Amino acid sequence: DAGVIQSPRHEVTEMGQEVTLRCKPISGHDYLFWYRQTMMRGLELLIYFNNNVPIDDSGMPEDRFSAKMPNASFSTLKIQPSEPRDSAVYFCASSFVRGANEQYFGPGTRLTVT
Amino acid sequence: SQQGEEDPQALSIQEGENATMNCSYKTSINNLQWYRQNSGRGLVHLILIRSNEREKHSGRLRVTLDTSKKSSSLLITASRAADTASYFCATAPGGGADGLTFGKGTHLIIQP
């Protein structure tokens, strides 16, 4: 299996622009998680899905952030409009059975908002 | 908010020595996991220990869990240069929720 796939790997955008991050989980995994990593705050859970349904979005920082999972093999995290404080590495992870077990992380998308 | 807090924040040892990292957490847990992150890469799962377990081994890794003290330790024996990475503990809360809460990590450097 190719593992969790994320695109793009790097994204540089200007403040106010829309940013869309993409994730393809491991086939057969029922859970998908979006995390954000910064030096100041470490790794934070933003939102997670079970069987394509959002279960907990309490970590989404603001209404500027939205996430969708239209099918079992694809998820997006959108920021509109982007701000410099959104600069971070965004990780997607997937898990099978129960999510509170081993999670498989993608390589991350490094987002820089200028 | 950060549930787990690793200690130390950074650790530098000689190749072949053992490395010990500690993690403390605040609330009840279902399990505790350790992950490794190499520079510029995603996290890789190392080991999971459930709340009713006290010790677990996997290769050169040994994890202990003390739920009364809300703490865990990760021991890497006979360290290698390839073990240089950041190590994170992550807690899965009790009650069946699925999201993990990560600490800020210990950056381990193995000197050749």
Side-chain angles (χ1 to χ4, degrees):
Chain A
D1 198 314
V4 175
I5 299 172
Q6 290 187 249
S7 65
R9 292 293 311 276
H10 301 272
E11 177 79 35
V12 180
T13 191
E14 292 184 348
M15 181 175 62
Q17 296 298 306
E18 177 180 298
V19 175
T20 299
L21 310 181
R22 298 172 177 80
C23 174
K24 175 179 169 55
I26 293 173
S27 177
H29 283 192
D30 295 331
Y31 288 80
L32 184 140
F33 304 81
W34 284 100
Y35 292 90
R36 178 173 68 176
Q37 185 177 37
T38 61
M39 288 295 294
M40 289 296 295
R41 299 176 66 86
L43 262 163
E44 302 173 283
L45 175 65
L46 300 177
I47 185 172
Y48 76 92
F49 296 82
N50 177 214
N51 291 322
N52 314 337
V53 176
I55 302 300
D56 183 357
D57 66 353
S58 60
M60 297 285 262
E62 302 172 29
D63 291 345
R64 298 183 297 105
F65 286 69
S66 63
K68 294 182 179 180
M69 192 165 186
N71 57 63
S73 59
F74 183 65
S75 177
T76 60
L77 178 67
K78 184 178 294 186
I79 308 172
Q80 165 64 12
S82 58
E83 296 183 2
R85 59 192 168 125
D86 301 331
S87 297
V89 181
Y90 291 81
F91 288 102
C92 175
S94 69
S95 177
F96 64 96
V97 188
R98 289 303 304 275
N101 287 295
E102 179 177 353
Q103 295 186 10
Y104 296 77
F105 280 73
T109 295
R110 181 173 295 277
L111 173 65
T112 302
V113 183
T114 61
Chain B
S1 63
Q2 295 296 320
Q3 161 81 307
E5 294 291 336
E6 288 90 343
D7 169 49
Q9 291 187 341
L11 179 62
S12 181
I13 61 173
Q14 295 293 317
E15 192 167 21
E17 294 180 340
N18 295 341
T20 299
M21 289 159 271
N22 302 297
C23 169
S24 60
Y25 58 92
K26 298 176 182 176
T27 61
S28 65
I29 62 171
N30 177 283
N31 66 63
L32 186 145
Q33 303 174 36
W34 286 89
Y35 287 78
R36 183 187 74 228
Q37 183 180 33
N38 291 89
S39 180
R41 310 288 289 273
L43 282 76
V44 175
H45 182 269
L46 295 176
I47 195 166
L48 179 154
I49 186 166
R50 302 197 183 280
S51 60
N52 61 352
E53 297 176 310
R54 292 296 168 258
E55 187 171 314
K56 202 163 184 179
H57 297 255
S58 176
R60 294 184 297 112
L61 305 180
R62 172 178 170 254
V63 170
T64 62
L65 178 64
D66 187 335
T67 53
S68 67
K69 296 181 179 179
K70 291 186 169 59
S71 68
S72 173
S73 68
L74 171 67
L75 169 68
I76 303 174
T77 61
S79 63
R80 305 167 182 170
D83 295 329
T84 293
S86 291
Y87 292 81
F88 296 86
C89 69
T91 52
D98 297 300
L100 295 177
T101 302
F102 285 83
K104 289 194 173 181
T106 292
H107 185 52
L108 175 65
I109 297 173
I110 308 299
Q111 307 279 3

